[in-house]
Amino acid sequence: MGADKKGEQMEIVTVPSYEDMSLRAAEVVCEAMRQNPDLVLILPTGATPVGMYRELVAAHERGQADFSRVRTFNLDEYRGLAPDHPASYAAYMREHLFAKVNLAGQNTHIPHGVGPDPEVECRRYEAAIVEAGHGDLAILGIGQNGHVGFNEPSYSLRSTVHVARLRDETRQVAFDIWSESGDNPFPALADFPNHALTMGMGTILKAERILLLASGASKARALRLAVTGALTPQLPASFLQLHRDVTLLVDSEAARFL
Ligand code: PGA
């Protein structure tokens, strides 16, 4: 994917369904690992990549995905949630990938959500990514409001790993997903984290290649603005237009305004 359109515009691959998106995304990751066994992956969480992780685990079980030398860096983590909190992204990654493939523990990286000084943690995490040579392949999702990682719509963007204040709509969407699961660890929306540690857009844009996944009609507006709109911190995903190797892998519902 991507080779023929490098540097011109984002490549858009539209597939019929969420399942197709998940399978194609996993194929991209598997192929990248075959090409480079020492791949550095930047990884997302949320509802969108669950199917991709499922397909990666299946590929691993078939002997088609070897993570033994791969290093991973997650995009973000909620401030205040320890790795054993069920809503932490550390828990999410263990459940969906880390416990199910041959990734070495020391090769997986997620910002620490708890600790005395989040600013120190942000600097440590940024330095670790720089030390790894930045990402070879960043897999991203997009929020309904156009956020990437937890780079929320704002009057300005931060380049490197930082503490971000979560917008109300972002907290509400995540809280509702937990409520729908029937297992919400937060008694009320007020208990949901207000902040997160996140890679900045600069951290993300330094990745060699970017694959953005989106599924469903709720993402269609943000995707259109990201692809054809002005570069604006009010829609952080629009800054992906600056990157020379971005592929959007989207299902037909998400692609309806493209
Ligand atoms: P989702 O989140 O996959 O749960 O829709 C994507 C995002 O907010 O980046």
Side-chain angles (χ1 to χ4, degrees):
M1 281 187 207
D4 52 338
K5 288 199 185 170
K6 249 182 215 175
E8 286 177 32
Q9 59 185 62
M10 297 187 198
E11 184 186 12
I12 301 170
V13 177
T14 305
V15 292
S17 70
Y18 176 79
E19 286 68 31
D20 297 308
M21 180 202 75
S22 302
L23 196 54
R24 287 286 287 273
E27 282 168 3
V28 170
V29 175
C30 288
E31 180 56 26
M33 293 195 298
R34 276 193 288 275
Q35 301 274 330
N36 176 10
D38 298 302
L39 194 74
V40 177
L41 277 171
I42 292 177
L43 294 178
T45 47
T48 307
V50 167
M52 175 190 73
Y53 290 132
R54 189 183 57 233
E55 296 298 339
L56 283 173
V57 170
H60 175 70
E61 287 168 354
R62 291 193 303 267
Q64 293 168 351
D66 177 14
F67 293 82
S68 59
R69 286 159 50 188
V70 170
R71 283 172 290 171
T72 67
F73 288 86
N74 269 79
L75 285 165
D76 44 22
E77 178 61 285
Y78 290 112
R79 170 76 181 144
L81 300 192
D84 59 356
H85 190 287
S88 72
Y89 286 156
Y92 173 105
M93 290 308 298
R94 279 196 306 278
E95 177 188 346
H96 293 292
L97 187 71
F98 295 167
K100 295 177 174 167
V101 299
N102 63 335
L103 264 164
Q106 74 271 18
N107 286 345
T108 66
H109 304 84
I110 303 183
H112 297 152
V114 290
D117 190 339
E119 298 298 334
V120 170
E121 171 60 7
C122 289
R123 287 197 290 276
R124 183 198 69 81
Y125 198 63
E126 179 79 22
I129 300 160
V130 172
E131 170 77 22
H134 303 291
D136 294 307
L137 173 61
I139 314 291
L140 307 177
I142 182 170
Q144 295 176 29
N145 66 5
H147 73 201
V148 176
F150 276 128
N151 294 278
E152 295 274 48
S154 171
Y155 290 105
S156 63
L157 285 176
R158 302 269 302 273
S159 176
T160 58
V161 178
H162 61 280
V163 179
R165 184 172 177 79
L166 303 185
R167 289 185 54 121
D168 288 345
E169 69 265 18
T170 295
R171 298 172 64 246
Q172 184 77 57
V173 167
F175 182 80
D176 290 347
I177 289 173
W178 275 108
S179 296
E180 282 157 24
S181 79
D183 206 11
N184 195 338
F186 305 103
L189 180 59
D191 303 300
F192 195 87
N194 286 309
H195 293 85
L197 284 71
T198 182
M199 288 188 189
M201 288 309 294
T203 326
I204 293 166
L205 289 169
K206 285 191 184 107
E208 188 69 25
R209 252 175 100 192
I210 291 175
L211 180 67
L212 184 140
L213 309 180
S215 168
S218 69
K219 303 295 174 69
R221 179 186 159 277
L223 268 183
R224 177 179 169 79
L225 292 171
V227 174
T228 62
L231 267 64
T232 167
Q234 293 294 336
L235 198 106
S238 63
F239 282 80
L240 298 174
Q241 294 174 32
L242 294 174
H243 197 279
R244 62 188 289 277
D245 193 355
V246 180
T247 300
L248 266 50
L249 175 54
V250 299
D251 69 11
S252 44
E253 283 285 291
R256 63 203 283 185
F257 299 146
L258 292 177

